[in-house]
Amino acid sequence: MSLNAVIAANRFGLGARPGELAQIARDPKAWLLSQVGQSQSTNMLSDGLLSSAQAFEALQSYQEARAAQRRTEASPNPAVNAEERVRLADLVGQTTGREIEARIQHAVTTQAPFAERWVQFWSNHFTMAVRNLQTTPFPGSFEREAIRPHVWGRFEDLLVKADTHVGMLIYLDQAQSIGPNSQAAQTQQGRRRAAGLNENLAREILELHTLGADGGYSQTDVTEFARALTGWTVAGPRLRRLAQGSRVGTTIFVSELHEPGARSILGKNFPAAGERQALDILAHLARQPSVAKRIAFKVAQHFVADDPPPALVARLEASFRQSSGDLSALAKTLIQSPEAWAPETRKFKTPNDFLISTMRASGANTTSTQALRATFEQLGQTPWRAPSPKGWPDVASEWAAPDAILKRIDWANLAADVIGETFQPIAFAESALGPALTDKTRTAISRAQTARQGIVLALMSPEFQRR
Amino acid sequence: MTNRRTLLTAGLSGLSLAMLGGTASFAQAATTSGKFVFIILRGAMDGLTAVVPYGDPNYRSFRGAIALDGPGGPNGTLPLVDGFGLHPALKEMHGLWQTGQMSFMHAAASPYRERSHFDAQDLLEAGTAQLTSARSGWLNRALAMLPNGPSQEGVAIGRTIPLVLRGPARATSWAPPLAPESDGDTLARLSDLYAGDAMLSNALAMAIETDKIADGGTMLSGNAGRGRQGVFAPLASAAARILAAPGGPAGAVLSFEGWDTHANQGGAQGQLANRLDALDTAVKALREGLGPVWANTTVVIATEFGRTVRINGTGGTDHGTGGVSFLLGGAVKGGKMLGDWPGLSRLYEDRDLVPANDVRQLFAQGLTNAWGLDRQAVLSRVFTT
């Protein structure tokens, strides 16, 4: 078996399941390429999961029950059923739990693990995280609705889908943003809503989703973009009149909230065009050379090295530009790049990928959410709890702190008990690492005092921790 | 914690009792009032340090700096039979010897003749003549011969049920409610493994140092923090509580790890002496925890294989063959050296203590002693399958 099978499974994917290396070894590149561009490769089962609109409704019901209870608490006969309120709270909470479980389950069992890495990369690029009660039920549906269906298309489309999704509009405060000179701001209703511009989404699109902090935009650009974005919001109870029958919990454009007039961004004039104005700006941003450069660097850094080879970055950048941001072409370019197949393992797995790859290697098919959620938390990467819109860090120095290593070892101790019920240590290491298993690690494993210790050494070996 | 298998087999055994209207005839003489405890020393305990053949003329030259003396010497052992002394850390066990509650078997081995810890532990637990794909253990098969009832059950102290207790009979496990921590030995092995990886080795070295400081510098003494796995007594106390409860299980398994002393194993004091002290303290905790039940208790202590007779270049010993095993407890009529002593004038493969005695004979004796099972039935039904 060639080392390329292991590189395909580990560096491009989420680690090999038992028997998977042999299957990949027939043609590692073809195995990866077959996952590119296929919509089914990024789909996941969503049985029992709520759409963003359903999640919004559940959250609304809960918040209404809570508000009603607060109003009537003092009265001798509270009108609100506390049990009902608790049921609604559970519904919102369980939404998150089920979403996390489904996502882990999918990553552990998928036969298209490169596609899943690709999804998770973009999901992190367009981070939509749990920040408060309002954002809690959305990251799962955000990923399923805005990211998964679009990661093989054009960057511009993915950008639009992600930044106009209900989850993102709430997460980055766009839902409340109102043009200061909009129709709504002039009315009684508008003033009561403390009408004002919120620049959060505009700023993060420029800084994180497109140009980058050093991408050459100014504060004026941010404000102008924020003005253009006004009107893009979520159909909710307070907008019932303006939403004109749109389903609650969906993205709408309300022209009454939109700041009238032309906008100037990056020196380019965008005439008044209602909802198209922001979309035109997004399209313009997506075509900036700094975006191609930045995306190329991030992809190379994510898959190949913290400090990626310039030749690889240049090749990805050229691909992005020449294909007008075709993400399938970008993925194919990555797969065809010799730098991505260098034998040195220069990436250190994130906690997420360490846990997922361990479970894949163990052949697990079902996962127990509660225990696992706690583990992700202990290792510092709770799904959808990225600390900021910047997302999870992607370099080893952020993840290889001494305490973090020790926590991985402690968890490996637990996992080894379970894995040991099915695997002998050497067989486990061979199944997971194939020819990447070094003689040194093999010897250490074979000298372990117990099967558990042997499996801990395999899981914590440099070749399993790195990719 | 109850294993899924427990629930399944609990249902099945209830069913078979109802259908058969009684127990099988071979088990009529057997009883579940006796308790049987199996302690596995994982990692291969050095038998020649636990039970020192000080009277053997070759012993001292093989063992050099880590040799112990006969009773009364400066590094004196505790007297057993003539020419053999118990390591001075094993005080409780020596007390049992003196009151006739302990025997030992030297040059003991399972049929395993290679040098892998895992395979050796598997065969020690399977109790078969060779490794097979069948995954049941001898203690479980012995439990299956007992009369039906609440006590026809085995408990494993740990997070999972080891092979020795897997099989048709009911088995549960109980783990201390402490978050498992990686032990110092595993960390040391990882430090070696990270030698070529600057990032990982620096991170681990710093983590170990921080941990040591947080534990008040006790890490090396093995008494706190990540050395906690070196303390076996709490596990033994837990086993005693579970066994002594009314209707408690008839059998228990404990695993004590950390016996793989390739370097700096020490003699009367040192690394191995600390482990032996922890083992001895656990035996004491077991006896005290069982209270009156101790009188009906049989304990077997065994390890997967012995260690090389010669001391190696790093003050330790490597994987060997013949080792030492103990049979003790309130129900044991002991004070005997079981089996033959092959001597040190001829070594197995010119390196190991000759495996003169099949450790399964000692297991069978323990089971017979604990539960009144017929010895021939045990040998044929439990150990030769």
Side-chain angles (χ1 to χ4, degrees), chain A residues 77-93:
Chain A
N77 298 307
V80 177
N81 185 344
E83 274 176 42
E84 174 64 3
R85 185 177 54 83
V86 170
R87 190 191 69 78
L88 291 166
D90 270 358
L91 182 64
V92 174

Side-chain angles (χ1 to χ4, degrees), chain B residues 30 33 39 87 150 155-156 158 168 196 254 327 349:
Chain B
S33 66
I39 298 176
H87 191 279
V155 61
L254 293 111
L327 177 67
E349 295 186 348

